[in-house]
């Protein structure tokens, strides 16, 4: 029976499963199938369809799910009206059918009518869109009889002919029948690899991908005309679940809805509320009794478990002068009036702690980390090529993506404006003039956000100065001695809280700024979003650190001539041992705080909180029927309760910011790599747990690399060399020590270095109202106090002017920056040059695959030629046999001569 409608629904009286069986379109090399109405009503349908993983017939696998909200009150009317239009064509049915609700205007209020109108409009859009999916060859099955009240599901299945067609269009590499041996190492290298495999065997996950492989199937872009070359022994598993969902997602993106001309694919329908969600299904349950083995359960055991944290992932000297009590160096007050003179020996503990990081070994460690960053980038490129080879992505080139729905809407709006002005135009597109207001808004917005970050850091500086002055009034000696530590710790915590809050705010602002630019494709949108988000979050995370590293203590002035903020607050100074220890504290608290709170607690807490809220909302909608409540949920109902997948940008951003902490300021915080390693061990399992148990299954998208993120990583690696050079040169005392040792030391030792870095000040030169209120706090009258700077003494003719020692140290610092930067850059480029981007064995395997593929095609052509030659020989023999017959035989069998006549054969 031929059915004109693409799909049909059951009458309104049967509130059951509405099944849509699809008529596949006629394709190249395939026959056209006719659609029929199926109604699968088995005794245990949930078990037959494996609880939502298959259609109701238990044979067709669910590749994708569309979710929508519906109102049952008007649904029955719509279905009844559609059941009366059996003879109209599909396109005319969708366009000419009266909107539901128009015939019952007298029975409902204006507000309810307005709401029903929008609901019916969404329903008509869904019907048209699903009809277009049917024309594309997909098979659909509707399910509104679920435990979630008011939620309907459309199950999508891609039949074999559609999978073949799309695989050919997408140029997916699929395994052929040809198998070949992978090149193996020999001799000494083989023994080393064998030992390494035995050592690392306990830390390898128990999955097939990590087992040593000696043979591999030759892969080639799928072609329907050459299906005989591919391994089709098991058609059900030839296209795995991720490939099937990818193919369906591509069809969903390019299928249009003419109800709104600018709607392009599923993205705009989701944005307009026509559908509430779209996602592929997980492979099954990951916990519980009698759970069948599946990839999700395997990932939960071998990836998302803290018990396997140790396994690989299944991916495819201080000068004693400062602490010597006998030197009795008296230092100038740290603040005006309330602060008194103090002994340098009181800062001994800070100086000793600072020496852990401020020593000659720091220079070599910085060089090592710079080379490590370069080696890491090269290793990633090689790893990337191995993954490309393993996943059959070699030679893959990204094609231009479909225009975004927002871009199409803007172009349509521009076209309508020009048509209104009676202007004939070609195909419209958005130019820089159209985007100029958005560009201006982006520029002003980013400048404002950066200025806001600077303002907040400035506010924290004011807090530090005022709090230090307030705590210095304390009468207890212990209170005065802990002023610096208290102020530093509380200020860093404030910075941490502000950074975490602004990170979330800046992420939303970056998305809004990108949306108003209206990029043409999703790739352009993602790249612009990443650039803006990284710029804002980089400034937000590192501005307080840059202040302590390069600005604190640089512009304080000197005793008697200090620099004041608002004529009230004196600029803060570094500790006698320098700002390196404070920088270390700042880095450790911000880095560990971001990793613990933002990266870990938020990733666990926020999805669980959203899941709990969604559970409470769905609980209110559930039917009070106890028997219905106890029924096991379908797979798509369970997955609908999970958090939608929001992309990998947040995960990449975490790693990029962490990479900055590890490389940019490693000279001041050498423990950063260790803390990053410990965090990543936990982060891997947290993310695995989130992806396997808390999020809907993401769609697999092919990509040849990590895109703009690689350029950002390289940029951070280059910037790290420069920043570490300046940290060693200007923040630490490494260069002043070298200058003193080789230019000013009398006996070739560091004895006298601290005294050399301190200048003298006559207390009689204090400005009025700035001298200490208690000048006898130390028990004696102070006439000369010391402060950290290179200036002339008060008994000099040019007292308090910058001394020549300052210029000698400055010249040495700048020279060190130039030498260090160029040396490390040269070494990094050498590492980049000496390590090939493509591993030798991978390049050999790729070349081998090309040669084997040529051989396969040559044999196929030779077979065709041999077959053609055989047919020609047979035809020739038949002709000769006919010509050799005798005339008598020919006359008696005149009819046989015509039968022996040969015809040309086209092959």
């Amino acid at each position: 029976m031929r059915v004109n409608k693409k799909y049909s629904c059951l009458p309104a009286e049967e509130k059951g499963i509405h099944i849509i069986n699809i008529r596949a379109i006629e394709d190249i090399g395939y026959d056209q199938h006719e659609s029929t109405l199926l109604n699968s009503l088995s005794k245990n349908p949930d078990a037959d369809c494996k609880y939502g993983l298959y259609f109701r017939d238990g044979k067709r696998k669910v590749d994708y799910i569309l979710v929508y909200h519906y109102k049952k009150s008007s649904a029955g009317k719509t279905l009844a009206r559609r059941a009366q239009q059996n003879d109209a064509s599909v396109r005319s049915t969708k366009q000419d059918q009266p909107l539901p609700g128009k015939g019952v205007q007298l029975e409902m209020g204006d507000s309810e009518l307005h709401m029903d109108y929008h609901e019916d409009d969404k329903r008509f859009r869904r019907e048209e869109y699903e009809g277009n999916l049917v024309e594309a060859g997909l098979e659909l099955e509707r399910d509104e009889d679920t435990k979630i009240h008011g939620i309907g599901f459309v199950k999508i299945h891609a039949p074999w002919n559609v999978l073949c067609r799309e695989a050919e269009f997408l140029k997916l590499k699929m395994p052929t029948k040809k198998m070949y041996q992978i090149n193996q190492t020999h001799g000494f290298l083989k023994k080393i690899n064998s030992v390494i495999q035995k050592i690392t065997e306990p830390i390898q996950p128990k999955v097939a991908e990590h087992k040593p492989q000696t043979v591999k199937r030759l892969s080639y872009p799928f072609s329907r005309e050459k299906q005989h070359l591919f391994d089709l022994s098991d058609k059900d598993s030839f296209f795995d679940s991720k490939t099937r969902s990818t193919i369906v997602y591509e069809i969903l993106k390019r299928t249009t809805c003419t109800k709104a001309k600018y709607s392009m694919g599923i993205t705009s329908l989701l944005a307009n509320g026509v559908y509430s969600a779209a996602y592929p299904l997980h492979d099954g349950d990951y916990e519980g009794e009698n759970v069948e083995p599946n990839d999700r359960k395997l990932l939960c055991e071998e990836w998302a478990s803290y018990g396997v944290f140790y396994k690989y992932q299944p991916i495819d000297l201080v000068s004693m002068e400062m602490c010597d009590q006998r030197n009795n160096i008296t230092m100038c007050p740290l603040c005006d009036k309330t602060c008194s003179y103090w002994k340098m020996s009181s800062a001994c503990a800070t100086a000793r702690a600072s020496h852990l990081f401020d020593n000659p070994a720091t220079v070599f460690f910085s060089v090592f980390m710079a080379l490590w960053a370069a080696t890491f980038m090269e290793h990633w490129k090689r790893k990337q090529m191995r993954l490309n080879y393993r996943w059959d992505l070699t030679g893959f080139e990204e094609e231009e993506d479909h225009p975004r729905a927002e871009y199409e809407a803007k172009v349509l709006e521009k076209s309508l404006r020009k048509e209104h002005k009676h202007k004939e135009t070609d195909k419209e597109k958005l130019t820089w003039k159209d985007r100029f207001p958005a560009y201006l808004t982006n520029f002003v917005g980013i400048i404002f956000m950066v200025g806001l970050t600077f303002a907040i850091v400035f506010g924290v500086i004011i807090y530090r100065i005022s709090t230090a002055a307030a705590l210095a009034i304390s009468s207890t000696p212990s209170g005065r001695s802990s002023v610096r530590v208290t102020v530093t710790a509380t200020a860093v915590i404030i910075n941490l809280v502000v950074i975490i809050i602004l990170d979330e705010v800046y992420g939303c602002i970056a998305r809004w700024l990108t949306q108003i630019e209206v990029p043409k494709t999703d790739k352009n949108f993602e790249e612009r979003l990443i650039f803006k988000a990284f710029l804002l979050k980089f400034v937000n995370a590192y501005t307080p650190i840059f202040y302590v590293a390069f600005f604190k203590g640089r512009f304080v002035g000197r005793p008697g001539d200090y620099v004041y903020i608002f004529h009230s607050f004196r600029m803060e100074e570094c500790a006698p041992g320098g700002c390196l220890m404070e920088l270390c504290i700042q880095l450790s608290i911000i880095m560990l705080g971001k990793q613990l709170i933002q990266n870990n607690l938020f990733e666990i807490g926020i999805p669980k909180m959203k899941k709990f809220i969604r559970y409470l909302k769905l609980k209110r909608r559930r039917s009070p029927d106890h028997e219905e409540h106890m029924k096991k949920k379908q797979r798509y109902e369970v997955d609908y309760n999970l958090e939608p997948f929001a992309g990998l940008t947040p995960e990449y951003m975490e790693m990029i910011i962490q990479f900055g902490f590890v490389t940019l300021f490693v000279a001041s915080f050498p423990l950063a790599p260790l803390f990053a390693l410990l965090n990543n061990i936990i982060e891997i399992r947290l993310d695995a747990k989130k992806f396997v148990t808390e999020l809907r299954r993401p769609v697999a998208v092919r990509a040849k690399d990590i895109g703009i993120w690689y350029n950002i990583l390289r940029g951070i690696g280059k910037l790290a060399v420069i920043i570490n050079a300046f940290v060693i040169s200007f923040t630490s005392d490494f260069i002043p020590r070298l200058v003193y040792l080789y230019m000013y030391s009398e006996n070739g030792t560091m004895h006298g270095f601290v005294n050399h870095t301190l200048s003298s000040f006559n207390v009689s030169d204090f400005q009025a109202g700035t001298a200490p209120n208690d000048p006898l706090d130390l028990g004696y009258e102070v006439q000369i106090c010391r402060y950290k700077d290179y200036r002339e003494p008060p008994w000099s003719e040019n007292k308090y002017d910058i001394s020549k020692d300052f210029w000698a140290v400055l010249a040495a610092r700048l020279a060190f920056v130039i030498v260090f930067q160029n040396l490390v850059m040269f070494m990094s480029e050498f590492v980049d040059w000496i390590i090939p981007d493509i591993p030798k064995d991978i390049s050999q395997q790729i070349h081998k695959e090309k040669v084997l593929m040529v051989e396969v095609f040559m044999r196929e052509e030779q077979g065709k030629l041999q077959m053609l030659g055989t047919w020609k020989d047979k035809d020739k023999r038949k002709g000769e046999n006919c010509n050799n017959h005798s005339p008598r035989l020919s006359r008696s069998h005149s009819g046989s001569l015509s039968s022996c006549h040969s015809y040309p054969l086209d092959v």
Side-chain angles (χ1 to χ4, degrees):
M1 178 182 69
R2 186 174 187 85
V3 181
N4 291 328
K5 298 174 72 71
K6 289 194 182 75
Y7 56 87
S8 303
C9 297
L10 294 178
E13 293 79 7
E14 296 185 24
K15 308 280 186 177
I17 304 299
H18 307 304
I19 298 179
I20 308 167
N21 195 9
I22 309 308
R23 173 175 58 85
I25 64 172
E26 183 176 358
D27 203 355
I28 300 176
Y30 295 100
D31 294 329
Q32 179 177 334
H33 299 284
E34 297 183 350
S35 64
T36 57
L37 178 65
L38 297 180
N39 188 7
S40 302
L41 296 175
S42 58
K43 295 182 180 180
N44 189 5
D46 291 344
D48 292 341
C49 67
K50 295 187 178 180
Y51 297 98
L53 289 176
Y54 288 81
F55 277 23
R56 284 290 171 177
D57 56 13
K59 298 178 181 179
R60 291 172 293 172
K61 187 176 183 180
V62 177
D63 299 319
Y64 223 90
I65 290 291
L66 300 180
V67 187
Y68 60 91
H69 294 271
Y70 70 93
K71 291 179 61 180
K72 288 188 176 180
S73 59
S74 60
K77 302 184 184 71
T78 304
L79 296 176
R81 279 196 296 271
R82 288 191 59 79
Q84 298 173 0
Q85 302 177 357
N86 292 327
D87 298 330
S89 65
V90 175
R91 185 67 62 183
S92 62
T93 298
K94 291 185 289 184
Q95 294 177 352
D96 300 335
Q97 181 180 357
L99 292 175
K102 288 186 178 180
V104 290
Q105 293 181 1
L106 300 176
E107 301 178 7
M108 58 182 67
D110 292 340
S111 60
E112 187 176 356
L113 174 63
H114 181 73
M115 183 174 62
D116 254 15
Y117 172 78
H118 287 288
E119 290 297 322
D120 290 341
D121 181 66
K122 291 180 181 179
R123 184 179 303 109
F124 288 140
R125 288 196 187 191
R126 286 197 298 269
E127 290 173 354
E128 181 186 9
Y129 183 72
E130 291 164 10
N132 293 337
L133 293 180
V134 169
E135 288 184 350
L138 298 178
E139 299 181 2
L140 311 182
E141 182 179 83
R142 190 187 307 276
D143 187 359
E144 293 182 354
D145 186 19
T146 64
K147 298 179 66 176
I148 307 176
H149 178 70
I151 300 294
F153 297 89
V154 176
K155 295 177 278 187
I156 302 178
H157 169 77
W160 173 257
N161 62 317
V162 174
L163 293 173
C164 294
R165 181 191 70 205
E166 297 298 322
E168 183 174 355
F169 291 166
L170 296 174
K171 299 179 181 179
L172 297 180
K173 283 190 173 183
M174 305 303 295
T176 64
K177 298 177 181 178
K178 178 68 175 179
M179 301 184 69
Y180 66 94
Q181 293 285 335
I182 297 178
N183 293 339
Q184 301 292 323
T185 57
H186 302 282
F188 183 68
L189 289 178
K190 183 177 181 181
K191 294 181 179 179
I192 293 179
N193 290 337
S194 177
V195 172
I196 293 176
Q197 288 179 2
K198 291 181 180 179
I199 294 176
T200 59
E201 185 176 358
I203 62 175
Q204 297 290 349
K206 298 178 181 179
V207 294
E209 286 78 3
H210 280 266
K211 294 180 180 179
Q213 296 182 351
T214 58
V215 291
K216 186 179 184 295
R217 285 194 178 275
L218 185 64
S219 297
Y220 187 75
F222 187 81
S223 172
R224 288 171 290 180
E225 295 180 355
K226 300 183 182 298
Q227 288 192 30
H228 58 279
L229 298 178
F230 296 90
D231 182 19
L232 302 180
S233 57
D234 186 3
K235 288 188 176 182
D236 293 336
S237 62
F238 182 73
F239 295 104
D240 56 18
S241 58
K242 66 177 183 295
T243 305
R244 298 175 70 99
S245 62
T246 301
I247 289 175
V248 175
Y249 181 66
E250 290 294 328
I251 298 176
L252 293 177
K253 282 199 304 182
R254 70 168 184 255
T255 303
T256 61
C257 177
T258 57
K259 184 72 176 178
K261 293 183 179 179
Y262 60 85
S263 296
M264 292 295 293
I266 191 63
T267 306
S268 60
L269 297 178
L270 290 171
N272 295 328
V274 179
Y275 291 101
S276 59
Y279 52 89
L281 295 179
H282 285 293
D283 292 326
D285 293 328
Y286 61 90
E287 60 183 359
E289 298 180 358
N290 301 324
V291 176
E292 296 183 1
N294 57 74
D295 288 344
R296 190 186 185 193
K297 185 174 185 296
L298 182 63
L299 285 173
C300 188
E301 295 172 352
E302 294 295 328
W303 182 36
S305 173
Y306 295 104
V308 293
F309 72 92
Y310 57 90
K311 291 187 177 183
Y312 285 110
Q313 289 193 80
I315 55 172
D316 236 22
L317 169 69
V318 177
S319 175
M320 295 304 295
E321 296 171 278
M322 186 172 291
C323 298
D324 194 348
Q325 298 284 349
R326 296 171 296 179
N327 288 331
N328 200 23
I329 300 177
T330 302
M331 304 297 294
C332 295
L334 297 175
C335 63
D336 295 341
K337 293 184 180 180
T338 56
C339 298
S340 185
Y341 306 104
W342 55 286
K343 295 287 187 67
M344 174 170 275
S345 57
S346 63
C348 177
T350 305
R352 289 184 182 276
S354 179
H355 179 65
L356 293 174
F357 310 109
D358 190 2
N359 56 70
T362 303
V363 179
F364 297 100
F365 185 68
S366 300
V367 174
F368 167 77
M369 287 303 299
L371 296 179
W372 171 85
T375 306
F376 169 77
M377 300 304 298
E378 292 304 310
H379 172 72
W380 169 247
K381 286 194 290 188
R382 292 168 63 84
K383 181 68 174 179
Q384 192 170 256
M385 285 304 303
R386 289 189 180 276
L387 293 178
N388 284 342
Y389 171 72
R390 185 188 303 175
W391 296 340
D392 293 326
L393 292 175
T394 53
F396 169 71
E397 293 294 336
E398 295 180 354
E399 300 178 355
E400 186 177 357
D401 204 354
H402 299 284
R404 298 174 63 247
E406 292 82 358
Y407 179 85
E408 293 289 333
K410 284 290 184 181
V411 171
L412 179 62
E413 182 181 345
K414 182 179 178 181
S415 302
L416 293 176
R417 284 200 307 266
K418 291 197 173 183
E419 289 178 4
H420 181 70
K421 295 179 181 179
H422 305 286
K423 291 184 178 180
E424 295 183 0
T425 58
D426 296 331
K427 186 176 181 180
E428 293 293 339
K429 63 179 181 179
L430 298 184
T431 63
W432 69 270
K433 293 181 180 179
D434 301 319
R435 293 191 174 104
F436 180 75
Y439 290 156
L440 183 61
T441 304
N442 271 259
F443 179 77
V444 174
I446 291 176
I447 294 298
F448 175 77
M449 292 298 109
V450 173
L452 176 63
T453 303
F454 289 165
I456 292 174
V457 172
F458 182 75
V460 175
I461 294 172
I462 299 298
Y463 162 81
R464 295 162 66 109
I465 296 172
S466 58
T467 305
L471 293 178
I473 306 176
S474 175
S475 58
T476 60
S478 59
R480 289 195 296 268
S481 63
S482 61
V483 168
R484 192 178 296 275
V485 176
T486 303
V487 171
T488 300
T490 55
V492 174
I493 292 174
I494 293 174
N495 276 326
L496 174 63
V497 174
V498 171
I499 287 172
I500 292 176
I501 295 174
L502 288 184
D503 259 0
E504 303 300 323
V505 175
Y506 287 169
C508 299
I509 292 176
R511 179 169 291 275
W512 176 74
L513 291 176
T514 308
Q515 288 173 347
I516 64 175
E517 284 187 13
V518 195
K520 183 176 181 180
T521 63
D522 289 332
K523 182 180 180 181
N524 294 338
F525 180 89
E526 184 179 4
E527 289 181 349
R528 296 186 185 190
L529 173 62
I530 289 171
F531 176 76
K532 294 182 183 68
F534 170 73
L535 178 62
L536 294 176
K537 293 188 177 185
F538 182 89
V539 173
N540 181 42
Y542 294 112
T543 298
I545 300 172
F546 272 91
Y547 164 73
V548 175
F550 303 121
F551 297 98
K552 184 178 179 181
R554 308 292 175 188
F555 312 102
V556 298
R558 60 170 179 81
D561 188 22
Y562 282 113
V563 177
Y564 292 90
I565 301 176
F566 305 134
H567 303 286
S568 302
F569 301 103
R570 203 176 91 185
M571 287 294 292
E572 55 182 346
E573 306 176 46
C574 291
C579 285
L580 197 65
M581 189 61 199
E582 186 174 343
L583 179 60
C584 177
I585 295 173
Q586 184 111 352
L587 276 165
S588 60
I589 293 179
I590 291 178
M591 180 180 178
L592 296 179
K594 276 180 63 65
Q595 290 180 346
L596 180 63
I597 298 174
Q598 191 174 24
N599 297 356
N600 293 336
L601 292 182
F602 280 12
E603 287 194 4
I604 299 175
I606 291 180
K608 287 189 176 295
M609 182 179 66
K610 290 182 178 179
K611 185 178 179 181
F612 180 71
I613 294 174
R614 192 181 297 107
Y615 168 77
L616 294 179
K617 290 181 179 179
L618 294 176
K619 191 175 182 181
R620 297 193 189 103
R621 300 178 183 175
R622 284 178 180 171
S623 172
D625 188 0
H626 178 73
E627 185 176 314
E628 181 74 14
H629 177 70
M630 296 303 294
K631 186 174 70 173
K632 184 175 179 180
K633 287 185 178 181
Q634 303 288 341
R635 177 78 266 153
Y636 43 86
E637 294 181 79
V638 177
D639 286 7
Y640 177 72
N641 293 332
L642 300 178
E643 185 71 12
F645 175 68
L648 292 173
T649 299
E651 309 297 333
Y652 275 111
M653 191 66 71
E654 290 176 17
M655 294 296 101
I656 293 295
I657 298 297
Q658 184 193 84
F659 185 76
F661 280 116
V662 170
T663 56
L664 292 178
F665 295 94
V666 71
S668 57
F669 188 40
L671 293 178
L674 174 62
F675 286 123
L677 173 63
L678 297 176
N679 171 79
N680 289 345
I681 291 175
I682 301 174
E683 180 81 9
I684 288 172
R685 308 306 162 184
L686 281 177
D687 286 343
K689 195 80 172 178
K690 179 177 67 176
F691 278 98
V692 175
T693 64
E694 302 292 339
L695 298 180
R696 293 174 187 164
R697 181 173 181 171
V699 180
V701 180
R702 294 187 300 166
K704 62 180 180 180
D705 50 36
I706 59 176
I708 192 175
W709 295 110
Y710 182 81
N711 298 329
I712 293 177
L713 283 172
R714 284 191 64 87
I716 292 178
K718 302 293 185 183
L719 183 63
V721 177
I722 302 174
I723 291 180
N724 280 303
F726 276 95
V727 168
I728 295 171
S729 182
F730 286 89
T731 308
S732 72
D733 284 336
F734 177 73
I735 299 301
R737 288 197 187 103
L738 290 181
V739 172
Y740 176 79
L741 182 64
Y742 292 106
M743 292 183 62
Y744 300 102
S745 177
E746 297 179 356
N747 53 6
T749 65
M750 293 301 297
H751 181 72
F753 167 72
V754 173
N755 185 64
H756 175 75
T757 60
L758 299 178
S759 299
S760 301
F761 177 75
N762 193 329
V763 298
S764 62
D765 294 332
F766 272 122
Q767 291 180 349
T770 61
N773 294 332
D774 186 10
L776 300 177
D777 184 59
L778 295 179
Y780 57 87
E781 183 180 0
V782 177
Q783 295 181 350
I784 299 293
C785 65
R786 310 295 297 274
Y787 62 99
K788 191 176 179 64
D789 205 347
Y790 291 100
R791 291 183 180 269
E792 298 289 345
W795 52 83
S796 174
E797 294 181 359
N798 303 316
K799 65 178 184 179
Y800 308 134
D801 285 349
I802 294 176
S803 65
K804 62 178 183 179
D805 298 341
F806 171 83
W807 300 111
V809 172
L810 179 61
R813 282 173 165 166
L814 293 176
F816 175 82
V817 169
I818 295 173
V819 173
F820 181 89
Q821 175 184 337
N822 286 278
L823 177 63
V824 176
M825 287 288 189
F826 170 76
M827 297 172 68
S828 300
E829 293 297 329
F830 179 74
V831 170
D832 190 359
W833 172 76
I834 200 173
I835 300 178
D837 294 344
I838 304 177
K840 186 177 180 180
D841 58 327
I842 297 299
S843 61
Q844 291 175 348
Q845 297 294 346
I846 294 175
H847 177 71
K848 185 176 181 179
E849 284 192 356
K850 291 180 179 179
V851 173
L852 291 175
M853 208 68 238
V854 171
E855 291 180 359
V856 169
F857 285 121
M858 290 300 295
R859 290 176 183 174
E860 183 184 9
E861 293 298 322
Q862 290 175 359
K864 290 181 180 179
L865 292 175
Q866 290 177 358
M867 185 179 298
L868 183 62
T870 303
W871 288 344
K872 287 184 176 180
D873 291 342
K874 290 182 178 179
D875 189 54
K876 186 176 181 181
R877 293 195 201 99
K878 288 181 179 179
E880 291 176 352
N881 292 335
C882 292
N883 291 333
N884 291 333
H885 283 312
S886 62
R888 180 180 179 183
L889 185 62
S890 300
R891 286 194 299 268
S892 63
H893 302 287
S894 59
S896 64
L897 286 174
S898 59
S899 64
C900 293
H901 185 70
S902 62
Y903 295 93
L905 179 63
D906 294 334
V907 179

